[in-house]
Amino acid sequence: MSRKLSVDVVLPVYSGNIREIPSSVATLVTYFQQHVKDYTWTLVLAINGKQPEEVLALAKKLHKHHKEVVYTYTPHPGKGAGVLHAWTTRKPDIYTYMDIDLATDLHSFRYLLDGIREGYDLVIGSRYHPQSRLRRSFKRYLISKTYIHLVYRSILGVPVRDSQCGFKAVNKRVVDHILPLIQDKVWFWESEMLYLAHKLGYTIKEVPITWTENKISGVNLLKIAPEFIKKVLRLRFRKIR
């Protein structure tokens, strides 16, 4: 019998979302035990930022209760810093990540695994895939669509419908060759990763998801708009070696 492929499910965590961690981990452990039996899987709490004592203590407690739960830590702040550190310090067959609020329905997770096994380098959950089901305020929907279609797709030329959804999978080639080129370590890192992958000829697949907006969002879309455009333009004219 061939061995089961190993999968890391990275969950970016910090002190600001500590209340969500226990319930989300419990939900994930139950789901994976019941529905992902054909893989060996590990939930990786990717802790980032300064003064992580409370989150580290919780991570150690969860590991005692669930052997499938481990953690990584980097003092550099930012969601990107946490995910990238976890991906580059571990060695699974398939690397995935999802937001701790579990906004994406877990039944969509199989699409990520199937896409990587089909041979794609990156597989991304897309809230704007024709087959996706989306529950989101009209204001945030309009702003998000404007950024993606008028800025991200037009200026950067990346043919994806959704660059920022926190539900992605990559293979080892991406970890080894694309991640070292990523400069942003906060919220723009996903857009940067997709741009670099597309520019260098890696394959990307978008998959449909069911997604429900978390009312408590850590990103103010209007507030970051100028910075977003600045990062897009800087990336567009960056020399990729």
Side-chain angles (χ1 to χ4, degrees), residues 41-95:
W41 51 270
T42 304
L43 302 182
V44 184
L45 301 178
I47 305 168
N48 71 85
K50 297 179 180 179
Q51 299 179 334
E53 290 78 11
E54 187 178 9
V55 185
L56 285 170
L58 177 59
K60 293 174 183 178
K61 181 179 179 180
L62 290 170
H63 176 66
K64 288 184 178 180
H65 285 83
H66 308 287
K67 62 180 177 59
E68 305 92 346
V69 178
V70 300
Y71 66 91
T72 59
Y73 169 67
T74 174
H76 300 288
K79 174 181 175 180
V83 175
L84 296 174
H85 177 72
W87 275 357
T88 54
T89 55
R90 292 182 51 80
K91 304 292 182 182
D93 294 308
I94 301 176
Y95 303 76

Side-chain angles (χ1 to χ4, degrees), residues 145-196:
K145 289 281 283 186
T146 299
Y147 285 172
I148 292 167
H149 286 276
L150 298 184
V151 180
Y152 190 71
R153 294 188 70 172
S154 298
I155 297 176
L156 294 180
V158 182
V160 300
R161 302 178 183 89
D162 190 357
S163 60
Q164 297 302 118
C165 180
F167 198 73
K168 292 179 172 65
V170 302
N171 63 16
K172 192 176 186 303
R173 290 207 321 143
V174 172
V175 171
D176 290 344
H177 303 141
I178 300 296
L179 266 55
L181 303 177
I182 296 175
Q183 297 178 355
D184 188 271
K185 298 298 190 294
V186 188
W187 52 265
F188 190 69
W189 70 277
E190 293 169 276
S191 293
E192 190 176 349
M193 177 176 69
L194 290 171
Y195 173 77
L196 292 168

